[in-house]
Amino acid sequence: MGFFLEVLIGGLMTGMLYSLVALGFVLIFKASGVFNFAQGAMVLFAALAMARFSEWIPGWLGIANPVVANILAFIIAAFIMFLVAWLIERLVLRHLVNQEGATLLMATLGIAYFIDGLGQTVFGSDIYKIDVGMPKEPVMVLQDVFAGGLLINKEDFIAALVAALLVAALALFFQKTSTGRALRAVADDHQAAQSIGIPLNRIWVIVWTVAGIVALVAGIIWGSKMGVQFSLVTVALRALPVVILGGLTSVPGAIIGGLIIGVGEKMSEVYLGPLVGGGIEIWFAYMLALVFLLFRPQGLFGEKIIDRV
Amino acid sequence: MARQIGEVILDLQNVSLSFGGVNALIDISFDVREHEVRAIIGPNGAGKSSMLNVINGVYRPQAGEIILRGEHFRQMNPYKAASAGIARTFQNIALFKGMSVLDNIMTGRSLKMKANIFQQAFRTGVAKREELEHRAKVEEIIDFLEIQHIRKTPVGRLPYGLQKRVDLARALAMEPQILLLDEPMAGMNIEEKQDMSRFILDVNDQMGTTIVLIEHDMGVVMDISDRVVVLDYGKKIGDGSPDEVRGNPEVISAYLGASH
């Protein structure tokens, strides 16, 4: 029982991180109907900015305190993500209003490669580390309840907590503020939103900035786990099955989809792995996504696609 | 307050619009006076909705001019039109389906909201006060249109007639000077039509809003409009008071088919 719970909790925590990346996809898809292929590139770009500035700032400003340096680096990286969002809207999206989904998808594909290249040109292409002081050592909890207690990875726990808080804050922002209301309106119907005076351009900059900051947080968390390197881009690929499962248009879907995939991966690896020779973790999520595509293409919480004939 | 029809507020001159090879509007001119109820009628496919879409900038005409309060525009865009005080409703109701009635109507206040995103996020006094002010205004509109009982309902769950009313409420929340109504009574039963006519006249009378409407129901159009413009196959075939239009032989033949 203790072991089962350990696997479950481990899965939930990983799942929360998937959710965070998936959330970036959902935000942009909801507000602009674009499947943003560049989300992974944004994660890498943001993580690179964070890693390099936290490294440079102590030298430039003579700040020895790593916490202050990290905070400054975070603010700068967030501002850079705002600039990226602003430029994407200015140079790309604005000119593609009311175009086919496939056109927009191709555009984001282009953006993805551009950002990949730009990030490595500006910030370098080595492996960098982000050290935001996450505790690395695991802890034992609930020793009185289970024999041997539960072994929990503190770093994963804090990361999951941060992700959950961010998701909650965003959900509140969307529900409770007038900008959130405008975002939901744009997501529902561009034309109607514009006709009542909601500025589409500004909304897009806001959404891409928010997605950029989500990418930054995801980049920091994944980056501090496995180093900031090109393979961070693939984190977004891991989130792909999550959005298929949860539905591209649903914020709660992104969260629950992430948790299901996180838990599913770990469980299948531990319990089914030995039977088929292991390595299930790598393809389990995609397999699940495929099943969903066949039987429930709109995902668990997505809007049902009804075509009027 | 007695309604006084004023100067020309919106003037369309020689507007032509085509999609590929199809001419939706051909050289159309007409004007709209302040405070009046101006109807656009015509058979299906006459170009009525296209006309409305040109006024609010959803469509961009290839030729012609839109003169709004003396200012000349080659074409509008929906945001510019909204900022200039033009609100509209849609033929196929374009409400925000997932949101409640109240939230839908609140989005109509977007242009009037001034608090920035950080003030909103941290719920500062400015943002809170603003939200309350606008909420009060929206409640007035809700009372006016008699939809108090459904204000928390998600609009997707409402019957068609009520959705039309919410659509009107959202447009009114903008406090527009000109209100464009695209078939506000389509698909309604007689009772609902009567209610809607009353609301339109009340809006016009009490708020002084200029109204441009498209409607199929001739009885209603003749009852509530001051002047009527008639389109057929993208051309203007009649323009004048309801009585003039009713007596116009071209209009009669467009509606009933000419005898040859």
Side-chain angles (χ1 to χ4, degrees), chain A residues 42-276:
Chain A
M42 282 163 66
V43 171
L44 174 65
F45 191 81
L48 275 173
M50 177 74 193
R52 299 299 286 178
F53 278 108
S54 63
E55 190 183 320
W56 291 334
I57 281 174
W60 289 347
L61 304 176
I63 295 168
N65 186 339
V67 177
V68 178
N70 272 327
I71 290 173
L72 282 176
F74 183 86
I75 292 170
I76 294 174
F79 181 72
I80 288 176
M81 292 321 283
F82 160 73
L83 279 184
V84 168
W86 187 79
L87 284 172
I88 289 176
E89 197 281 326
R90 259 293 133 127
L91 301 175
V92 184
L93 295 178
R94 176 170 295 195
H95 308 285
L96 296 175
V97 180
N98 292 333
Q99 294 284 338
E100 295 280 331
T103 312
L104 288 159
L105 176 73
M106 293 308 287
T108 65
L109 199 61
I111 294 172
Y113 281 105
F114 182 78
I115 294 180
D116 276 349
L118 183 72
Q120 295 182 59
T121 310
V122 178
F123 298 117
S125 51
D126 287 328
I127 299 175
Y128 304 99
K129 67 178 190 1
I130 290 179
D131 185 4
V132 283
M134 293 261 239
K136 300 281 183 193
E137 75 284 4
V139 286
M140 292 286 250
V141 293
L142 297 176
Q143 265 140 320
D144 340 328
V145 187
F146 302 104
L150 292 179
L151 195 64
I152 290 191
N153 186 333
K154 244 193 201 168
E155 183 181 28
D156 284 353
F157 181 72
I158 291 174
L161 201 66
V162 169
L165 281 176
L166 185 65
V167 169
L170 283 175
L172 269 178
F173 180 77
F174 275 106
Q175 288 304 320
K176 298 287 177 195
T177 68
S178 52
T179 301
R181 202 159 44 216
L183 286 170
R184 282 183 290 146
V186 170
D188 233 336
D189 191 328
H190 288 183
Q191 205 103 75
Q194 268 189 305
S195 296
I196 54 172
I198 294 173
L200 208 52
N201 301 332
R202 196 161 75 211
I203 294 295
W204 279 351
V205 172
I206 292 173
V207 174
W208 280 73
T209 305
V210 172
I213 288 169
V214 168
L216 174 59
V217 174
I220 291 172
I221 292 172
W222 287 97
S224 75
K225 275 167 79 89
M226 54 191 237
V228 178
Q229 50 184 318
F230 189 72
S231 67
L232 265 188
V233 172
T234 58
V235 165
L237 288 181
R238 311 285 287 174
L240 219 53
V242 174
V243 288
I244 292 171
L245 198 74
L248 256 175
T249 50
S250 165
V251 172
I255 300 163
I256 298 189
L259 295 179
I260 292 177
I261 296 238
V263 171
E265 263 180 15
K266 289 275 183 293
M267 288 282 176
S268 60
E269 182 67 39
V270 169
Y271 292 103
L272 294 175
L275 304 175
V276 292

Side-chain angles (χ1 to χ4, degrees), chain B residues 9-81:
Chain B
I9 181 171
L10 173 69
D11 193 4
L12 293 132
Q13 289 191 345
N14 310 101
V15 171
S16 292
L17 171 77
S18 59
F19 302 104
V22 182
N23 296 317
L25 298 171
I26 304 159
D27 198 28
I28 298 207
S29 304
F30 69 90
D31 59 22
V32 179
R33 293 172 179 281
E34 200 163 12
H35 306 311
E36 81 173 333
V37 178
R38 185 73 148 124
I40 304 175
I41 64 168
N44 278 326
K48 305 183 297 291
S49 282
S50 296
M51 197 67 244
L52 228 53
N53 283 331
V54 164
I55 298 176
N56 118 292
V58 174
Y59 291 162
R60 299 174 175 202
Q62 279 81 15
E65 263 194 326
I66 302 156
I67 303 162
L68 181 63
R69 284 184 228 98
E71 207 181 331
H72 293 246
F73 296 94
R74 270 286 292 113
Q75 45 196 209
M76 296 297 275
N77 72 51
Y79 179 70
K80 199 159 70 181

Side-chain angles (χ1 to χ4, degrees), chain B residues 123-142:
Chain B
R123 322 220 95 216
T124 63
V126 184
K128 266 193 199 158
R129 216 172 315 126
E130 188 180 63
E131 185 83 8
L132 285 177
E133 272 168 35
H134 290 293
R135 177 68 190 271
K137 180 69 201 169
V138 164
E139 292 293 344
E140 267 176 43
I141 293 164
I142 288 178

